[in-house]
Amino acid sequence: MKNIIYEWQTCYLDAEHSDYFKTIKECLEQHSMFNGKRLTLKDILDDKTIEFTLTVTNHHPDAEDNKEYAFVKNYKLDEINDMGRKVPQKYIKEFNNLI
């Protein structure tokens, strides 16, 4: 049996430190608290020190975690992730509602 977890991820490119969030709203709240001002999704995407992705982690009991990434290009979340799998509409809608 495997558990598949979808999470929004921000990765600081200069330090390769990542944070994971259940919703984009949670991500924006966390980054806003850290920056001291209310941020939008566009603010996060425009920040050249952060990479924003939808990360899928497949937890296998007998293997290491396997991660897949859906990247954002031109303010659009790719509908196909880096492994060629479709991104669920739920996450595309969440992204589109906030962009």
Side-chain angles (χ1 to χ4, degrees):
M1 181 176 148
K2 64 181 177 179
N3 296 321
I4 300 175
I5 299 173
Y6 284 88
E7 293 176 296
W8 296 102
Q9 177 182 359
T10 53
C11 180
Y12 293 90
L13 299 175
D14 54 350
E16 294 187 9
H17 167 75
S18 295
D19 291 311
Y20 296 88
F21 305 94
K22 296 286 182 214
T23 66
I24 297 175
K25 183 180 178 198
E26 181 184 311
C27 169
L28 295 176
E29 288 170 356
Q30 182 68 30
H31 280 276
S32 292
M33 281 193 326
F34 180 74
N35 285 291
K37 66 174 189 165
R38 189 158 202 73
L39 299 176
T40 66
L41 178 55
K42 190 172 183 308
D43 292 331
I44 300 269
L45 297 176
D46 287 343
D47 187 330
K48 300 300 182 203
T49 66
I50 296 175
E51 180 179 70
F52 185 84
T53 57
L54 177 65
T55 304
V56 185
T57 307
N58 297 304
H59 293 284
H60 296 272
D62 301 325
E64 290 184 34
D65 288 348
N66 180 28
K67 290 190 184 296
E68 301 175 9
Y69 303 93
F71 295 97
V72 176
K73 294 176 187 159
N74 298 321
Y75 302 108
K76 289 191 172 211
L77 179 67
D78 280 348
E79 294 189 14
I80 305 294
N81 72 19
D82 68 327
M83 298 300 288
R85 298 188 225 293
K86 281 189 153 188
V87 173
Q89 283 297 310
K90 169 185 175 181
Y91 298 99
I92 293 171
K93 285 179 184 172
E94 180 186 359
F95 182 89
N96 288 339
N97 285 340
L98 288 169
I99 196 65

